[in-house]
Amino acid sequence: LYPNPASNFVTLKSTSEIILVSLFDINGRLIRQYKNPGSTEFSFNGLPNPGLYVIQVQTNAGTEFKKLLIQN
């Protein structure tokens, strides 16, 4: 996951196929979701507020959670 902190987009690297990417705010509310994205670059333009988010990446090998700091 890079860059982190990010402003507009992040790039995910995975040796497995990415099935689902979910972005949650710090209170656990789902903000964005990408199903079978077919890309490793994800835009976070238009988020309600900068701050700390949690990104969930689900691949065919499992699920991983990462903290992501969004800046303006």
Side-chain angles (χ1 to χ4, degrees):
L1 172 71
Y2 65 91
N4 192 5
S7 56
N8 296 327
F9 71 92
V10 295
T11 301
L12 299 174
K13 291 279 187 179
S14 177
T15 56
S16 303
E17 179 184 359
I18 297 172
I19 298 168
L20 181 68
V21 176
S22 303
L23 182 71
F24 299 91
D25 69 12
I26 200 65
N27 296 313
R29 290 183 294 243
L30 179 64
I31 303 297
R32 297 243 172 104
Q33 196 166 61
Y34 302 90
K35 294 180 181 176
N36 298 313
S39 174
T40 58
E41 193 170 284
F42 300 89
S43 172
F44 296 124
N45 286 329
L47 288 177
N49 298 304
L52 189 60
Y53 291 83
V54 175
I55 191 165
Q56 175 188 11
V57 180
Q58 184 177 351
T59 69
N60 54 6
T63 302
E64 190 170 339
F65 293 87
K66 297 277 188 181
K67 292 179 184 175
L68 174 63
L69 181 60
I70 302 289
Q71 303 176 321
N72 280 342

